[in-house]
Short mmCIF file of all heavy atoms in Angstrom, two decimals:
data_model
loop_
_atom_site.label_atom_id
_atom_site.label_comp_id
_atom_site.label_asym_id
_atom_site.label_seq_id
_atom_site.Cartn_x
_atom_site.Cartn_y
_atom_site.Cartn_z
N PRO A 1 -79.09 74.32 169.08
CA PRO A 1 -80.21 75.19 168.69
C PRO A 1 -79.72 76.52 168.13
O PRO A 1 -78.59 76.96 168.39
CB PRO A 1 -80.97 75.39 170.00
CG PRO A 1 -79.96 75.17 171.07
CD PRO A 1 -79.02 74.14 170.54
N ALA A 2 -80.58 77.18 167.38
CA ALA A 2 -80.22 78.45 166.75
C ALA A 2 -79.88 79.52 167.77
O ALA A 2 -79.12 80.44 167.47
CB ALA A 2 -81.36 78.92 165.84
N ARG A 3 -80.42 79.42 168.98
CA ARG A 3 -80.14 80.45 169.99
C ARG A 3 -78.69 80.42 170.46
O ARG A 3 -78.19 81.39 171.02
CB ARG A 3 -81.08 80.28 171.20
CG ARG A 3 -80.84 79.02 172.00
CD ARG A 3 -81.67 79.00 173.28
NE ARG A 3 -81.43 77.77 174.04
CZ ARG A 3 -82.14 76.65 173.90
NH1 ARG A 3 -83.13 76.62 173.03
NH2 ARG A 3 -81.86 75.58 174.60
N ASP A 4 -77.98 79.28 170.23
CA ASP A 4 -76.62 79.14 170.73
C ASP A 4 -75.55 79.33 169.66
O ASP A 4 -74.37 79.10 169.92
CB ASP A 4 -76.44 77.74 171.35
CG ASP A 4 -77.27 77.56 172.61
OD1 ASP A 4 -77.61 78.58 173.24
OD2 ASP A 4 -77.58 76.41 172.95
N LEU A 5 -75.94 79.78 168.47
CA LEU A 5 -74.95 79.96 167.40
C LEU A 5 -74.00 81.11 167.72
O LEU A 5 -74.42 82.18 168.16
CB LEU A 5 -75.67 80.26 166.08
CG LEU A 5 -76.48 79.12 165.46
CD1 LEU A 5 -77.31 79.65 164.31
CD2 LEU A 5 -75.57 77.98 165.00
N ASN A 6 -72.73 80.88 167.48
CA ASN A 6 -71.77 81.98 167.63
C ASN A 6 -71.58 82.67 166.29
O ASN A 6 -72.17 82.29 165.27
CB ASN A 6 -70.44 81.47 168.20
CG ASN A 6 -69.78 80.42 167.31
OD1 ASN A 6 -69.80 80.51 166.08
ND2 ASN A 6 -69.18 79.40 167.94
N SER A 7 -70.73 83.69 166.26
CA SER A 7 -70.60 84.50 165.06
C SER A 7 -70.02 83.71 163.89
O SER A 7 -70.41 83.91 162.73
CB SER A 7 -69.75 85.73 165.35
OG SER A 7 -68.44 85.36 165.75
N ARG A 8 -69.08 82.82 164.15
CA ARG A 8 -68.49 82.02 163.07
C ARG A 8 -69.50 81.05 162.49
O ARG A 8 -69.60 80.89 161.26
CB ARG A 8 -67.27 81.26 163.59
CG ARG A 8 -66.54 80.44 162.51
CD ARG A 8 -66.01 81.33 161.40
NE ARG A 8 -65.29 80.58 160.39
CZ ARG A 8 -64.77 81.12 159.30
NH1 ARG A 8 -64.90 82.42 159.07
NH2 ARG A 8 -64.13 80.38 158.41
N GLU A 9 -70.24 80.38 163.35
CA GLU A 9 -71.26 79.45 162.87
C GLU A 9 -72.35 80.18 162.08
O GLU A 9 -72.82 79.69 161.05
CB GLU A 9 -71.86 78.69 164.06
CG GLU A 9 -70.87 77.74 164.72
CD GLU A 9 -71.28 77.32 166.11
OE1 GLU A 9 -72.17 77.99 166.71
OE2 GLU A 9 -70.70 76.34 166.63
N ALA A 10 -72.75 81.34 162.56
CA ALA A 10 -73.75 82.14 161.84
C ALA A 10 -73.23 82.52 160.47
O ALA A 10 -73.97 82.48 159.47
CB ALA A 10 -74.09 83.39 162.65
N ALA A 11 -71.94 82.89 160.38
CA ALA A 11 -71.37 83.27 159.10
C ALA A 11 -71.30 82.09 158.14
O ALA A 11 -71.52 82.23 156.94
CB ALA A 11 -69.98 83.86 159.32
N LEU A 12 -71.01 80.91 158.66
CA LEU A 12 -70.99 79.71 157.80
C LEU A 12 -72.39 79.42 157.26
O LEU A 12 -72.55 79.07 156.08
CB LEU A 12 -70.46 78.51 158.59
CG LEU A 12 -68.95 78.52 158.86
CD1 LEU A 12 -68.58 77.47 159.90
CD2 LEU A 12 -68.16 78.29 157.58
N LEU A 13 -73.41 79.57 158.10
CA LEU A 13 -74.78 79.34 157.63
C LEU A 13 -75.19 80.39 156.60
O LEU A 13 -75.85 80.07 155.61
CB LEU A 13 -75.75 79.34 158.81
CG LEU A 13 -75.69 78.12 159.73
CD1 LEU A 13 -76.67 78.28 160.90
CD2 LEU A 13 -76.00 76.84 158.96
N ALA A 14 -74.81 81.63 156.81
CA ALA A 14 -75.12 82.67 155.84
C ALA A 14 -74.43 82.40 154.51
O ALA A 14 -74.97 82.71 153.44
CB ALA A 14 -74.70 84.03 156.38
N SER A 15 -73.27 81.77 154.55
CA SER A 15 -72.49 81.52 153.33
C SER A 15 -73.10 80.45 152.45
O SER A 15 -72.83 80.41 151.24
CB SER A 15 -71.06 81.11 153.70
OG SER A 15 -70.42 82.12 154.44
N ILE A 16 -73.90 79.55 153.02
CA ILE A 16 -74.45 78.47 152.21
C ILE A 16 -75.86 78.78 151.72
O ILE A 16 -76.43 78.00 150.93
CB ILE A 16 -74.46 77.12 152.98
CG1 ILE A 16 -75.46 77.14 154.13
CG2 ILE A 16 -73.05 76.78 153.48
CD1 ILE A 16 -75.73 75.76 154.71
N LEU A 17 -76.45 79.91 152.13
CA LEU A 17 -77.83 80.22 151.76
C LEU A 17 -78.09 80.19 150.25
O LEU A 17 -79.15 79.69 149.84
CB LEU A 17 -78.23 81.58 152.33
CG LEU A 17 -78.96 81.58 153.66
CD1 LEU A 17 -79.25 83.00 154.12
CD2 LEU A 17 -80.26 80.78 153.57
N PRO A 18 -77.21 80.67 149.40
CA PRO A 18 -77.55 80.64 147.98
C PRO A 18 -77.71 79.23 147.41
O PRO A 18 -78.45 79.03 146.46
CB PRO A 18 -76.36 81.36 147.32
CG PRO A 18 -75.76 82.18 148.41
CD PRO A 18 -75.97 81.39 149.66
N ASN A 19 -77.03 78.25 147.99
CA ASN A 19 -77.09 76.90 147.45
C ASN A 19 -76.82 75.86 148.54
O ASN A 19 -75.77 75.22 148.56
CB ASN A 19 -76.08 76.73 146.31
CG ASN A 19 -76.38 75.51 145.45
OD1 ASN A 19 -77.11 74.62 145.87
ND2 ASN A 19 -75.81 75.48 144.27
N PRO A 20 -77.77 75.67 149.47
CA PRO A 20 -77.52 74.77 150.60
C PRO A 20 -77.49 73.30 150.22
O PRO A 20 -77.13 72.46 151.04
CB PRO A 20 -78.70 75.08 151.53
CG PRO A 20 -79.78 75.55 150.62
CD PRO A 20 -79.08 76.31 149.54
N ARG A 21 -77.89 72.97 148.98
CA ARG A 21 -77.83 71.56 148.57
C ARG A 21 -76.42 71.16 148.14
O ARG A 21 -76.08 69.98 148.13
CB ARG A 21 -78.82 71.30 147.44
CG ARG A 21 -80.26 71.57 147.83
CD ARG A 21 -81.23 71.14 146.76
NE ARG A 21 -82.58 71.61 147.06
CZ ARG A 21 -83.67 71.23 146.40
NH1 ARG A 21 -83.55 70.38 145.39
NH2 ARG A 21 -84.85 71.71 146.72
N ARG A 22 -75.62 72.15 147.77
CA ARG A 22 -74.26 71.84 147.31
C ARG A 22 -73.19 72.37 148.26
O ARG A 22 -72.04 71.95 148.19
CB ARG A 22 -74.04 72.43 145.92
CG ARG A 22 -74.98 71.87 144.87
CD ARG A 22 -74.62 72.32 143.48
NE ARG A 22 -73.31 71.82 143.08
CZ ARG A 22 -72.77 72.06 141.89
NH1 ARG A 22 -73.41 72.82 141.00
NH2 ARG A 22 -71.57 71.58 141.58
N ARG A 23 -73.55 73.31 149.13
CA ARG A 23 -72.60 73.84 150.10
C ARG A 23 -72.93 73.30 151.48
O ARG A 23 -74.09 73.02 151.78
CB ARG A 23 -72.65 75.37 150.12
CG ARG A 23 -72.28 76.03 148.81
CD ARG A 23 -72.40 77.53 148.93
NE ARG A 23 -72.13 78.22 147.67
CZ ARG A 23 -72.17 79.53 147.52
NH1 ARG A 23 -72.46 80.30 148.56
NH2 ARG A 23 -71.91 80.08 146.35
N SER A 24 -71.93 73.20 152.32
CA SER A 24 -72.12 72.66 153.67
C SER A 24 -71.49 73.58 154.70
O SER A 24 -70.33 73.99 154.56
CB SER A 24 -71.50 71.27 153.77
OG SER A 24 -71.51 70.81 155.11
N ALA A 25 -72.27 73.90 155.74
CA ALA A 25 -71.71 74.65 156.86
C ALA A 25 -70.99 73.74 157.83
O ALA A 25 -70.05 74.16 158.52
CB ALA A 25 -72.84 75.39 157.59
N ALA A 26 -71.40 72.48 157.89
CA ALA A 26 -70.75 71.53 158.79
C ALA A 26 -69.38 71.12 158.27
O ALA A 26 -68.43 70.93 159.04
CB ALA A 26 -71.63 70.28 158.96
N ARG A 27 -69.26 70.98 156.94
CA ARG A 27 -68.00 70.62 156.31
C ARG A 27 -67.69 71.64 155.21
O ARG A 27 -67.76 71.33 154.01
CB ARG A 27 -68.07 69.20 155.73
CG ARG A 27 -68.26 68.13 156.80
CD ARG A 27 -68.46 66.76 156.19
NE ARG A 27 -69.71 66.72 155.43
CZ ARG A 27 -70.91 66.57 155.98
NH1 ARG A 27 -71.03 66.43 157.28
NH2 ARG A 27 -71.98 66.53 155.21
N PRO A 28 -67.36 72.85 155.60
CA PRO A 28 -67.19 73.93 154.60
C PRO A 28 -65.94 73.75 153.76
O PRO A 28 -64.87 73.41 154.28
CB PRO A 28 -67.11 75.19 155.47
CG PRO A 28 -66.58 74.72 156.77
CD PRO A 28 -67.14 73.34 156.97
#
């Protein structure tokens, strides 16, 4: 869940926001 995200995971999600269809936080 979103409540358990750590700082690295949050940063990976922020990094894919411009194009989440082509970027992946799970497999960056």
Side-chain angles (χ1 to χ4, degrees):
R3 67 172 179 270
D4 293 337
L5 291 170
N6 60 39
S7 61
R8 182 61 179 178
E9 292 162 344
L12 287 167
L13 288 178
S15 300
I16 69 167
L17 265 178
N19 197 342
R21 299 187 189 190
R22 298 188 64 179
R23 299 178 183 180
S24 172
R27 296 175 296 280

